[in-house]
Amino acid sequence: QVQLVESGGGLVQTGGSLRLSCAASGRPFDSYRMGWFRQGTGNEREFVAARNRGGTGLTYGDSVRGRFTISRDDAKNTVFLQMDRLKPEDTAVYYCASTSTGLSTRLSDYEYWGQGTQVTVSS
């Protein structure tokens, strides 16, 4: 069992930055891959970014590539999502998730989910 708790969401203006954190507990952190997803109102949950353990491999969704950066601190059991040059269309609830399978962009591959943190980008 893995517990995930996100933090760092909030309200920011277009062009601003936010850094989300996700603290994990329950299993050795370096045994699984971590991902971020988001879900805007009325939209399906979509992939944002994922990173393998030890930083050996990462991938981003097309809409955030070049603006968002996923990182992880295995010593602190925490994964981060640095979000720069934010746009109103980035407004969503952001979720972190973990998977014991390979690096994946698919919702169904992720076994454990956090409760989400709201990010709102004003125009």
Side-chain angles (χ1 to χ4, degrees):
Q1 192 80 357
V2 175
Q3 293 80 42
L4 302 171
V5 179
E6 302 98 334
S7 60
L11 174 65
V12 64
Q13 292 185 333
T14 296
S17 298
L18 278 176
R19 189 191 196 205
L20 305 183
S21 300
C22 174
S25 62
R27 280 175 55 184
F29 187 64
D30 61 359
S31 67
Y32 43 88
R33 288 75 171 172
M34 299 299 297
W36 287 96
F37 291 77
R38 68 185 183 185
Q39 187 167 17
T41 302
N43 296 332
E44 294 185 351
R45 195 168 296 189
E46 67 168 340
F47 172 76
V48 174
R51 185 158 187 146
N52 209 347
R53 58 191 176 192
T56 57
L58 72 167
T59 185
Y60 295 95
D62 290 340
S63 60
V64 306
R65 187 175 292 113
R67 299 187 298 121
F68 290 11
T69 304
I70 185 171
S71 62
R72 55 189 288 168
D73 185 336
D74 289 350
K76 296 182 179 180
N77 292 354
T78 303
V79 62
F80 304 97
L81 186 68
Q82 177 66 41
M83 305 185 295
D84 298 317
R85 305 200 307 276
L86 283 161
K87 307 174 182 180
E89 50 264 44
D90 294 319
T91 295
V93 177
Y94 283 71
Y95 299 89
C96 74
S98 68
T99 175
S100 56
T101 62
L103 198 65
S104 175
T105 65
R106 298 188 303 181
L107 224 73
S108 58
D109 285 338
Y110 286 80
E111 300 144 336
Y112 299 100
W113 293 81
Q115 82 289 348
T117 185
Q118 177 70 46
V119 171
T120 303
V121 185
S122 62
S123 57

